[in-house]
Amino acid sequence: MRSSRLNPEAVHPPVGNYSHAVRVESTDAVWIHVSGQVALDRDGQLVGPGDLRAQTRQVFENLKAILEANGASFADVVKTTTYLTTLDDLAGMREVRAEYLPEEPPASTAVQISALVLPEALIEVDAIAVVPR
């Protein structure tokens, strides 16, 4: 097995000591572990302060860009974890999420937490994708 780190230019540079994704290649599949994404645009500016739907859309656009940079898509995602600081518009978050995930969604976990690394961030999502060789 071989692993590599990836920080695609289509998303903001990592803020801190982490990589946006780690790609693990085996003989039969490529595993892509995507770090938690918050609603930062390419320039590192928070999108949609106070708006869970807008932040969800930016988070999934970031995930999409990272997956595509690894030759994957949302159809390859097998697991997501969603961290929310508010459940005020949970239905709206789910509507936006459904626009990106296939009809047969991956395994997923959602938890409400008290805060994220950015005080204005309302949502963070990480993902694991598997691309068969």
Side-chain angles (χ1 to χ4, degrees):
M1 266 197 285
R2 187 176 57 185
S3 68
S4 56
R5 275 73 178 147
L6 182 69
N7 295 305
E9 291 183 13
V11 294
H12 63 89
V15 180
N17 189 22
Y18 73 97
S19 297
H20 280 300
V22 174
R23 178 185 177 99
V24 180
E25 299 182 40
S26 69
T27 56
D28 54 352
V30 175
W31 291 72
I32 303 152
H33 296 261
V34 182
S35 293
Q37 295 297 305
V38 294
L40 294 179
D41 65 15
R42 195 172 182 177
D43 298 322
Q45 299 299 310
L46 184 73
V47 171
D51 184 340
L52 183 57
R53 287 177 190 239
Q55 288 195 21
T56 301
R57 186 166 311 286
Q58 183 62 49
V59 163
F60 276 89
E61 285 297 315
N62 290 349
L63 290 168
K64 180 180 174 183
I66 294 166
L67 290 168
E68 287 177 351
N70 277 282
S73 72
F74 283 111
D76 300 307
V77 172
V78 297
K79 174 74 169 90
T80 63
T81 305
T82 303
Y83 306 91
L84 299 154
T85 62
T86 179
L87 300 178
D88 290 346
D89 192 12
L90 185 61
M93 183 279 294
R94 287 180 174 156
E95 286 176 18
V96 173
R97 179 182 184 268
E99 294 173 19
Y100 291 88
L101 293 174
E103 290 181 20
E104 294 184 28
S108 64
T109 301
V111 294
Q112 184 176 9
I113 58 173
S114 61
L116 291 165
V117 68
L118 299 175
E120 306 85 7
L122 302 174
I123 184 171
E124 181 170 338
V125 179
D126 63 37
I128 299 171
V130 181
V131 181
R133 287 206 183 252

